[in-house]
Amino acid sequence: YAPSRHNFTAPLPLDSDAVDLIIWRHAEAEDGVPDLERRLTTKGRKQAERVSQWLLQRLPARFAVIASPAARAQQTAEALGVPVKTDRSLAPGATPASIVKACGWPDYKGAAVVVGHQPDLGRALAELLGARGGLSIKKGGLWWISNRVRDEKDQVVVRSVVSPDLL
């Protein structure tokens, strides 16, 4: 893959057809405090690299990456090799509403990769999918969803679920 073929842009032109949201949980991190300074372990760096390679083979040429300010989320996002927008509203404890707002779902016209934390991302994903409770996202794993309109109603479509241990 060639990360240089990708261009970070935000926002994308309104005529873009894709409305994709990739919800990516940070990879495995060290234990310790302060929480925001926890860095990826060796295993976590490998997880982020495997998932980023998978993503780069499938993402459109133009996409946005938005991450929590936590070191582990930043390192996970940086594995994509493109600029990362840091959004403090994605820090641990983020609400589903703040996660959705950070990426502009579903109005943002393009692909947005959001890197954050569990259980926050799982709660936001459950809300977007209309599921009860929260969903669990494995460390380094992601859910790729799209929004479409069918019969004048918004629908959320699960395009892919990826776990780093299966790559």
Side-chain angles (χ1 to χ4, degrees):
Y1 73 94
S4 61
R5 77 175 178 87
H6 297 282
N7 299 311
F8 175 84
T9 58
L12 294 178
L14 293 176
D15 61 350
S16 173
D17 293 328
V19 182
D20 292 329
L21 175 57
I22 296 91
I23 297 177
W24 190 8
R25 182 181 178 188
H26 69 77
E28 183 182 274
E30 304 167 335
D31 290 329
V33 289
D35 186 51
L36 291 179
E37 295 177 17
R38 294 174 44 216
R39 301 184 61 75
L40 295 183
T41 62
T42 300
K43 178 181 178 180
R45 287 189 298 276
K46 290 177 184 174
Q47 290 172 330
E49 182 61 29
R50 281 196 308 271
V51 173
S52 69
Q53 288 177 10
W54 183 91
L55 268 172
L56 289 169
Q57 293 171 7
R58 290 160 179 83
L59 281 166
R62 298 172 66 189
F63 59 94
V65 181
I66 308 140
S68 158
R72 59 195 182 275
Q74 292 287 311
Q75 287 180 295
T76 300
E78 288 165 358
L80 287 167
V82 298
V84 176
K85 176 185 174 190
T86 301
D87 191 320
R88 294 187 190 284
S89 71
L90 297 175
T95 64
S98 65
I99 293 168
V100 170
K101 183 179 178 185
C103 63
W105 178 269
D107 300 319
Y108 179 79
K109 303 299 182 196
V113 179
V114 176
V115 184
H117 309 275
Q118 187 66 14
D120 312 334
L121 294 176
R123 289 182 188 133
L125 183 61
E127 191 170 298
L128 291 169
L129 296 175
R132 300 180 98 190
L135 297 170
S136 183
I137 302 172
K138 189 170 178 76
K139 289 179 183 171
L142 65 79
W143 283 62
W144 185 325
I145 61 175
S146 293
N147 186 51
R148 70 178 182 194
V149 177
R150 289 284 196 262
D151 299 323
E152 299 181 14
K153 295 181 183 176
D154 281 331
Q155 293 181 341
V156 177
V157 178
V158 176
R159 295 190 60 198
S160 188
V161 178
V162 174
S163 178
D165 60 335
L166 296 178
L167 297 176

